[in-house]
Amino acid sequence: MRLSSTSAEMTRTVGTQLAATLRPNDVIVLVGDLGTGKTVLAQGIARGLGIVEPVVSPTFTIAQEYVGRLRLNHLDVYRLDRVQEAIDLGLDELFEDAVTLVEWGDGVRDLLPVDRLEINLTLLPPNAADDDTRVITFEPFGTWRDRALGVAADDEAAVES
């Protein structure tokens, strides 16, 4: 499924809607270039899980834990130089009994569970839209293929299956 978001708040709303369907052990991989809205989407997911503290990109800390309706592990693996560093971090243990968001997770795909949802955020070409428009693409793997995402477009978002 693909949808377009025309604002940061709309991207947060997508995350909030998705959060309603999340359960322990869910892994969500956030993929996209710098500035495409990965952390903004993570903020929406956190909001939907009832987390009230500020959610920022854990670029320098690598992992941040939050507690709401479910425990949320927010990872940013951008700064890891080798897959071995992710193994040393105990990545697989972070997936247990929590929702885990992995920013830049495309670099550690081999270490991620088969059951995961990958969300790719991209900007439209400069001549196609303004700087605020993002295309959000959902790609389910494993058991995620059989799950409803709970994400619906509103009047401002365009959805494609």
Side-chain angles (χ1 to χ4, degrees):
M1 175 172 73
R2 289 170 42 130
L3 59 89
S4 295
S5 170
T6 57
S7 69
E9 190 53 39
M10 186 182 292
T11 300
R12 280 188 200 91
T13 298
V14 169
T16 301
Q17 291 172 344
L18 178 62
T21 68
L22 297 178
R23 45 193 179 209
N25 304 317
D26 280 346
V27 175
I28 301 171
V29 181
L30 303 175
V31 179
D33 291 334
L34 284 170
T36 55
K38 295 180 297 297
T39 300
V40 172
L41 186 64
Q43 291 168 345
I45 292 170
R47 180 172 66 190
L49 292 175
I51 295 164
V52 295
E53 62 188 286
V55 173
V56 296
S57 180
T59 300
F60 296 101
T61 59
I62 300 176
Q64 181 67 42
E65 182 181 55
Y66 303 94
V67 178
R69 174 177 67 83
L70 299 171
R71 188 167 51 95
L72 175 67
N73 291 319
H74 184 196
L75 312 176
D76 185 328
V77 297
Y78 179 78
R79 298 181 73 72
L80 298 183
D81 292 327
R82 301 180 330 268
V83 171
Q84 185 60 45
E85 289 179 287
I87 293 169
D88 293 344
L89 179 66
L91 193 61
D92 57 336
E93 294 172 16
L94 294 174
F95 301 144
E96 297 174 11
D97 299 321
V99 171
T100 303
L101 303 178
V102 185
E103 290 193 35
W104 301 97
D106 46 332
V108 294
R109 272 193 185 108
D110 293 343
L111 301 176
L112 298 175
V114 172
D115 298 326
R116 67 182 184 273
L117 176 64
E118 291 193 15
I119 304 174
N120 193 325
L121 295 100
T122 56
L123 294 172
L124 292 178
N127 60 348
D130 61 45
D131 291 341
D132 291 329
T133 301
R134 274 96 175 109
V135 175
I136 305 172
T137 305
F138 298 84
E139 187 174 359
F141 292 88
T143 58
W144 275 93
R145 290 187 180 118
D146 299 324
R147 289 176 60 180
L149 298 179
V151 176
D154 61 23
D155 294 337
E156 298 178 49
V159 176
E160 304 169 18
S161 293

